[in-house]
Amino acid sequence: MSELYDILVETPPTKVILLALDQGLWDCERSLAELAALCEANHMEAVAEVTQKRQTPETGIVLGSGKLEEAAAAAAELGAECAVFDGELTGSQIRNISTALGGLEVIDRTMLILEIFRSRAVTNEGKLQTELALLRYRLPRLQGGGGGGGGGARRGAGETKLELDRRHVHARIDALAEKLAEMEKRRGESRKARAKTGMPVVSLVGYTNVGKSSLMNALCGPSVAEADMLFATLDPTSRKLVLPSGMAVLLVDTVGFVSRLPHNLVEAFKSTLEEAAWSDVIVRVADAGDEQREEQLAVTDEV
């Protein structure tokens, strides 16, 4: 962890510009602040925000062409290397917005969260879950054309590179889902074995970065890594805790939630999230000093 931290400190963060369409569906200002924090968690620095209030997205490019011109000028002036959109985009929207921004790389909120998970996953299961979520997200966004050829000899008659790519991704998704199903079965068996010991399981659940790991360390003694950033904890951690009454319980620290958590991620991490659902006690953790704590608890309950 310290080696990774040293590398991150030595490498300046990538400058990015944030884009958002405000349709009045949620608090845009709050959402952009969270997006900036997500960028920070991925070693990116948000240097500008460009938002537009409108009821319906502009066809193909979401924001109006004038707003995208403004964003392109800001990116050029501030040296931004990437634009991050606060929402989910289709493959064609990503390409169109990138073209309108002069070829600037464009990612959406979901891609950013998936990338954070990909870089943070430590356990084998966490890595498989994240790869599955990424592939399921990328599959409908695969596009034809471009690329460095060379695959002609391997193609079947009339089979395009795009079809080959999709077939490969489908095969990998099936293989990952099978491996995770086996892990889920083993997890169920270990859960039954744990139930026989009679030790109650207590899970800490809540928004990302509200202090679940800090609370666990305060109760059990330091050993779980803490960091003031979103998604510092990805893999569930279990610790034995002896309560003042003398009763021993198993305390579980779980992955944190965030508003509009990508469906693919929830689906991929289902077996991990299930650990909390099977607990004897669920402790909902919130930061009492955060004005948004009620909304954050509502997001936790929804997931």
Side-chain angles (χ1 to χ4, degrees), residues 36-116:
L38 285 167
C39 287
E40 191 181 334
N42 199 43
H43 202 53
M44 293 168 156
E45 179 192 359
V47 293
E49 295 176 3
V50 175
T51 63
Q52 185 172 32
K53 280 191 177 184
R54 53 187 294 164
Q55 289 300 308
T56 53
E58 180 71 30
T59 308
I61 54 173
V62 188
L63 301 179
S65 54
K67 276 290 174 185
L68 289 178
E69 283 174 18
E70 183 187 319
E77 185 184 339
L78 298 167
E81 297 173 43
C82 177
V84 186
F85 185 79
D86 191 25
E88 208 164 279
L89 298 170
T90 64
S92 61
Q93 286 171 338
I94 289 168
R95 294 192 293 278
N96 294 340
I97 293 170
S98 176
T99 300
L101 296 177
L104 197 70
E105 183 188 359
V106 175
I107 64 171
D108 64 16
R109 180 188 171 90
T110 302
M111 283 179 184
L112 177 61
I113 293 173
L114 289 172
E115 178 54 32
I116 293 169

Side-chain angles (χ1 to χ4, degrees), residues 227-299:
D228 184 16
M229 64 168 70
L230 303 190
F231 298 123
T233 303
L234 276 194
D235 297 295
T237 308
S238 305
R239 305 271 300 282
K240 183 180 175 182
L241 169 65
V242 180
L243 301 174
S245 65
M247 177 192 276
V249 300
L250 192 68
L251 193 63
V252 181
D253 185 17
T254 62
V255 61
F257 303 128
V258 70
S259 64
R260 303 184 339 263
L261 193 66
H263 172 74
N264 283 322
L265 208 52
V266 176
E267 184 62 27
F269 275 75
K270 185 176 64 177
S271 58
T272 307
L273 297 173
E274 215 172 55
E275 282 297 282
W278 281 99
S279 301
D280 297 285
V281 178
I282 294 175
V283 180
R284 297 153 80 240
V285 183
D287 181 350
D290 193 324
E291 292 176 0
Q292 300 291 319
R293 61 187 177 276
E294 293 305 323
E295 287 91 331
Q296 292 179 355
L297 285 169
V299 166

